[in-house]
Amino acid sequence: MSDLDAFREEARSWLNDHFPSGLAHRSPPGIAGFGARLTGDWKAWQTSLGEKGWSAPTWPAEYGGGGLSPEQAQVLGAEMASRGAISPIGGFGIMMWGPTLLDFGTEEQKQRYLPPIIRGDIHWCQGYSEPGAGSDLANLQSFAEDKGDHFILNGSKVWTSGALEADWMYGVFRTDRNNKYEGISFLTLDMKSPGVEVKPITLISGQSPFNEVFFTDVVIPKENLIGEKNLGWNIGKRLLLHERQGIAGSGGANVVGGSYDIEQVARDYIGLENGVLADGAMRERIAMQKMFAHAYALTGRRFGEEAAVHGPTPAVGIMKVAWAKDNQNREELLVEMLGNRGLGWEGSGFSDNELKTVRTWLRSKANSIEGGTTEINLNLVAKRVLGLKGY
Amino acid sequence: MAVLTEEQNMLKDQAQAWSRDEAPVTRFRKMRDSGTDAGYEQATWQDIAGMGWTGILIPEALGGSGMDYATFGVVLEETGRHLVASPLFASGLVGASALLLAGNDAQKQQWLPGIAAGTSIVTLAVDEGPHHAPEQIAMTADASSGSFTLNGSKVFVLEGGSADAFVVAARTSGTAGETDGITLFLVPADTSGLGVQPLKTADSRGYADLTFRDVKVDAAAVIGTADAGFPILDAVLDRARAGLAAEMLGTACEAFDRTLEYLKTREQFGQVIGSFQSLGHRAATLFMDMEFARSCVEAALRAIDEGSDEVPILCSLAKCKAGEFLHDMSNDMIQMHGGIGMTDEFDAGFYIKRARAAEATFGGQSYHRRRYISHFGI
């Protein structure tokens, strides 16, 4: 038996013992590490998975991670997928902050921050954008004044996902007003600190997933500085690369969630004639959408395989652009297929799925803005991948 | 680019160097200017056969090297970059596939060694109208006393003017539109009653229309089983689509590389034109399309080699995505080069002509969108 087969046996046996069978093929009611406090079987599953470290399979075991090789992690992923076992532990900590800490954190910081991320105990939010610092993120002005053994932070962040429920924030803050790029530091702060105020922003979808966060004389201990003072911009950029790689690796999964099966909507709301969708023009557009999504998923898989051999590539930047295009196009098609049933806002005149589709469609408009706009990502690809000048 | 095996890397290097040094587009131009009906140069073809690419799929016992479709794709991508014209694809991939998938031992013994050596050209004759429509085959093959009589026509047969034999899809029962009742025949080009009319096409490659007037073949000419030829035809076509998609990917990648180089060197308003966002963003978007097309092509070839159930859906995806990218890229190659792109002296015209011909061959984007979505029950 090869080592990998032996590991497969180990994973199977562990899942048999620890995965509650009643949760098979069910999505968690919320994400531990992103606002949810799970209960019952879900809590038990969270605890087992977190203690085993398999919520972060490839992170080093010394920090509570699974310590698995990429091949073993792939085997674990396949075993979990085959029994419909979905990890309820996620959020920014797992997706981007943890990998960035592994790159840049001190031993002490890794020991302090990584274990609770892996267990899903701490919900992290990300302090990046500001009113005057969107696409031009390095123009950020929230100022952390150096007071010797601590910083005093004043200013504000905007578009902060999940800030209302968050326990902690990591982010980029100005520590030198005379240096745009080399005047930024990467800091963490406790959201319960005095002087932190969170105000939700209501979106065009009626939902409030984003917030404004205001800082008034917030005290941040020096030990919360990640990397060197004034050299946080590179850490901040690395974190965004992890975000894009996460999107590339998701293989077309719609992280916005909520949309239901496109073929079923076509059958229910347009109908078939002789086994073929009655609207031929719509049928071709659905085909194009599904083929784009398929190509996106295959590309995510290929980039993953190639990265395992050749290392990561900046080409992964196109995945963020493609992810937004894929989501937005699918949501547009769904709403269009629903016809006037896709224009409901609330109340009993519309089904839950219809109402959810409208909200998801509107929410998806942010996909080409958040995490770097499509235009900024195209600039980055033009510059870093194609070697064009002027970007 | 997928992670290649050692063997594939060697062939890739060989194909890259040979295409670049021995068969650049200037050679294709010379062939076009010579006005030959064949659509390729004998010397090019002999080089290719000499390197053994014609035998990539054919078992060693029959004179080939017994490799796989992914490997063939690597070679076709490189030759596609430089618009190399030869019967390599039509015979070495498509014709060979039909025999490998369904030929009997005698047929294999008779034809595969010649295909591998490049001394025999066997090509597929399937379509009868302006659009790819394999299920619409109307050409008849009437059975009587152990032989078949073929009547009808085939159009736009790749390398039809040079072929020594045709794999012909004809109807032994049923009517056009049905998939039952189709039979594949192996018909030598010199069979009595078979007429071959070479075509002069925009892409300067070799195509011919075929007419069958009471063409008699015996039962030994049947490939596979009579009346049950469609699944074989479908499988051959999928291999053809994936292989052609690999060639098209190479053609489009070269168009992309040349255009990107121009964006980096051509100056207007005192700066390189690639520094203008309207062009830089288009280049970045085309790069995305290129990576997506590559993923689909490689997945389709791999699926064929692994015998996956997903072969039909992935081959339609690959042909469509490679077609979309090549279509847009060949248009933008002209547009981004400006006036020079419109001149015959520059190569962009060759790329766009090759693009449209390859797009139409074995189903265009529209055909493959319909075929793809039909797998989802709508």
Side-chain angles (χ1 to χ4, degrees):
Chain A
M1 194 191 302
S2 76
D3 289 351
L4 218 51
D5 287 335
F7 175 74
R8 189 184 306 278
E9 288 307 315
E10 181 194 332
R12 278 182 186 160
S13 143
W14 187 86
L15 287 167
N16 283 340
D17 293 344
H18 294 92
F19 176 60
S21 53
L23 304 185
H25 299 287
R26 284 174 54 196
S27 294
I31 300 295
F34 200 72
R37 299 275 178 251
L38 301 173
T39 55
D41 273 359
W42 279 111
K43 177 68 191 172
W45 173 225
Q46 177 195 336
T47 305
S48 308
L49 197 65
E51 280 173 3
K52 186 75 177 167
W54 283 359
S55 49
T58 59
W59 296 7
E62 56 196 296
Y63 308 120
L68 304 183
S69 67
E71 295 76 26
Q72 288 175 322
Q74 222 162 25
V75 167
L76 174 64
E79 286 303 317
M80 286 176 63
S82 75
R83 68 185 67 206
I86 298 173
S87 169
I89 301 172
F92 290 176
I94 292 280
M95 271 163 50
M96 330 172 202
W97 170 221
T100 308
L101 256 175
L102 284 168
D103 293 340
F104 289 100
T106 62
E107 182 60 28
E108 195 187 350
Q109 287 166 338
K110 291 180 199 172
Q111 293 286 2
R112 176 182 175 195
Y113 293 123
L114 290 172
I117 290 176
I118 293 162
R119 293 193 303 265
D121 288 346
I122 296 284
H123 171 185
W124 284 89
C125 67
Q126 170 170 310
Y128 266 48
S129 296
E130 295 183 9
S135 287
D136 183 10
L137 180 61
N139 190 43
L140 58 94
Q141 300 299 331
S142 285
F143 191 69
E145 192 183 353
D146 192 338
K147 292 286 192 185
D149 65 342
H150 66 277
F151 295 98
I152 296 287
L153 174 65
N154 281 284
S156 68
K157 292 286 175 186
V158 70
W159 308 123
T160 314
S161 307
L164 208 54
E165 305 85 4
D167 303 300
W168 277 74
M169 170 187 280
Y170 62 81
V172 276
F173 302 91
R174 183 149 302 286
T175 39
D176 179 353
R177 289 200 172 97
N178 298 318
N179 257 314
K180 182 172 179 179
Y181 294 99
E182 295 200 345
I184 292 172
S185 297
F186 200 103
L187 300 172
T188 66
L189 66 97
D190 187 338
M191 291 295 281
K192 288 187 295 295
S193 309
V196 177
E197 190 191 355
V198 180
K199 284 188 184 165
I201 303 167
T202 303
L203 299 187
I204 55 175
S205 61
Q207 302 156 331
S208 306
F210 299 117
N211 305 272
E212 292 176 282
V213 183
F214 298 92
F215 311 106
T216 311
D217 295 331
V218 177
V219 176
I220 300 178
K222 266 285 169 70
E223 70 219 39
N224 293 16
L225 174 66
I226 309 296
E228 284 183 53
K229 187 182 148 189
N230 290 332
L231 298 181
W233 180 241
N234 284 331
I235 306 176
K237 280 197 300 188
R238 175 70 68 92
L239 188 134
L240 291 175
L241 191 63
H242 283 300
E243 178 180 23
R244 287 192 283 271
Q245 265 162 356
I247 289 171
S250 69
N254 177 9
V255 301
V256 172
S259 63
Y260 53 122
D261 185 41
I262 197 165
E263 297 94 89
Q264 195 56 47
V265 173
R267 278 189 284 268
D268 291 349
Y269 289 82
I270 295 174
L272 306 184
E273 277 172 13
N274 304 319
V276 170
L277 198 66
D279 180 343
M282 181 59 83
R283 184 171 187 253
E284 178 159 29
R285 288 166 63 204
I286 294 171
M288 290 169 77
Q289 162 59 28
K290 289 189 75 74
M291 292 168 99
F292 184 84
H294 198 162
Y296 171 72
L298 292 172
T299 305
R301 197 185 308 166
R302 179 166 69 85
F303 280 7
E305 287 170 7
E306 290 167 17
V309 178
H310 306 300
T313 153
V316 78
I318 60 169
M319 298 306 278
K320 169 61 179 49
V321 175
W323 170 77
K325 181 176 163 177
D326 178 37
N327 268 345
Q328 293 178 341
N329 193 39
R330 184 184 51 251
E331 297 306 326
E332 281 292 345
L333 279 176
L334 282 167
V335 162
E336 189 176 338
M337 281 195 283
L338 291 182
N340 56 26
R341 306 298 301 165
L343 296 169
W345 193 245
E346 56 196 12
S348 57
F350 298 91
S351 75
D352 287 348
N353 269 341
E354 287 166 351
L355 292 174
K356 201 169 168 186
T357 301
V358 179
R359 307 291 179 129
T360 309
W361 159 64
L362 286 164
R363 170 63 182 83
S364 75
K365 295 301 162 194
N367 295 162
S368 50
I369 302 169
E370 59 199 338
T373 63
T374 289
E375 290 74 13
I376 286 291
N377 275 295
L378 290 175
N379 279 352
L380 290 175
V381 172
K383 176 182 171 176
R384 292 194 196 150
V385 183
L386 305 182
L388 291 173
K389 290 193 164 50
Y391 294 88
Chain B
M1 165 84 51
V3 180
L4 299 180
T5 65
E6 205 170 312
E7 200 170 49
Q8 287 169 341
N9 263 322
M10 274 171 52
L11 263 172
K12 183 185 167 65
D13 290 345
Q14 183 191 36
Q16 201 168 41
W18 177 82
S19 305
R20 185 190 59 222
D21 302 336
E22 305 297 329
V25 180
T26 46
R27 195 148 160 195
F28 177 81
R29 178 182 293 274
K30 220 174 94 196
M31 186 278 292
R32 191 267 320 247
D33 291 345
S34 77
T36 170
D37 269 348
Y40 63 92
E41 284 185 311
Q42 270 309 320
T44 302
W45 179 225
Q46 272 156 19
D47 272 5
I48 286 173
M51 290 182 286
W53 300 345
T54 35
I56 286 177
L57 299 177
I58 295 169
E60 287 180 27
L62 294 171
S65 50
M67 291 187 278
D68 57 13
Y69 285 88
T71 307
F72 213 132
V74 167
V75 171
L76 287 171
E77 189 184 328
E78 293 303 326
T79 58
R81 274 188 172 266
H82 303 278
L83 307 178
V84 176
S86 86
L88 174 63
F89 166 70
S91 184
L93 193 148
V94 189
S97 290
L99 289 161
L100 287 166
L101 282 167
N104 59 37
D105 283 345
Q107 290 165 336
K108 288 181 182 171
Q109 293 285 353
Q110 188 183 353
W111 291 102
L112 288 175
I115 293 176
T119 50
S120 296
I121 295 171
V122 178
T123 188
L124 178 67
V126 56
D127 287 319
E128 300 174 5
H131 297 284
H132 179 59
E135 62 287 342
Q136 294 297 333
I137 287 164
M139 181 173 164
T140 56
D142 295 322
S144 65
S145 55
S147 69
F148 293 86
T149 307
L150 278 57
N151 276 292
S153 63
K154 293 288 174 186
V155 299
F156 230 76
V157 176
L158 207 51
E159 317 299 352
S162 318
D164 300 291
F166 300 95
V167 175
V168 180
R171 194 163 280 289
T172 34
S173 67
T175 53
E178 293 173 4
T179 51
D180 284 346
I182 288 171
T183 304
L184 297 185
F185 296 93
L186 191 61
V187 184
D190 57 5
T191 309
S192 170
L194 171 53
V196 178
Q197 294 86 36
L199 300 167
K200 283 278 183 200
T201 59
D203 67 335
S204 307
R205 268 181 123 167
Y207 303 86
D209 286 350
L210 310 183
T211 51
F212 294 78
R213 289 202 185 82
D214 294 329
V215 172
K216 291 211 180 337
V217 294
D218 59 27
V222 173
I223 302 176
T225 312
D227 283 342
F230 192 80
I232 309 164
L233 177 62
D234 209 30
V236 174
L237 285 170
D238 273 335
R239 281 149 184 78
R241 288 157 182 153
L244 185 54
E247 184 187 296
M248 292 161 75
L249 176 66
T251 303
C253 286
E254 181 69 15
F256 179 88
D257 289 350
R258 291 191 186 200
T259 305
L260 181 62
E261 188 54 32
Y262 192 69
L263 294 182
K264 290 177 179 177
T265 48
R266 167 74 173 170
E267 290 188 17
Q268 288 286 275
F269 304 103
Q271 50 191 317
V272 289
I273 60 173
S275 65
F276 297 116
Q277 260 186 342
S278 63
L279 295 180
H281 282 190
R282 265 158 76 187
T285 304
L286 288 164
F287 173 77
M288 175 175 84
D289 297 339
M290 177 164 74
E291 291 298 317
F292 275 33
R294 172 174 301 285
S295 308
C296 297
V297 168
E298 291 179 358
L301 292 164
R302 194 196 288 194
I304 293 169
D305 291 329
E306 291 173 351
S308 154
D309 294 343
E310 288 195 307
V311 165
I313 198 165
L314 283 171
C315 289
S316 276
L317 181 69
K319 184 67 172 49
C320 182
K321 281 300 183 193
E324 286 174 359
F325 172 49
L326 179 57
H327 187 98
D328 293 345
M329 191 62 241
S330 57
N331 280 334
D332 268 344
M333 186 185 198
I334 293 180
Q335 178 64 23
M336 292 192 188
H337 279 86
I340 185 88
M342 283 300 294
T343 62
D344 184 66
E345 187 188 353
F346 187 64
D347 290 337
F350 289 143
Y351 281 84
I352 198 168
K353 291 167 191 170
R354 169 69 67 90
R356 293 304 178 276
E359 286 172 62
T361 302
F362 303 131
Q365 289 85 290
S366 171
Y367 176 86
H368 286 293
R369 285 174 197 143
R370 277 185 279 123
R371 185 168 182 257
Y372 181 96
I373 200 64
S374 67
H375 285 275
F376 292 91
I378 58 172

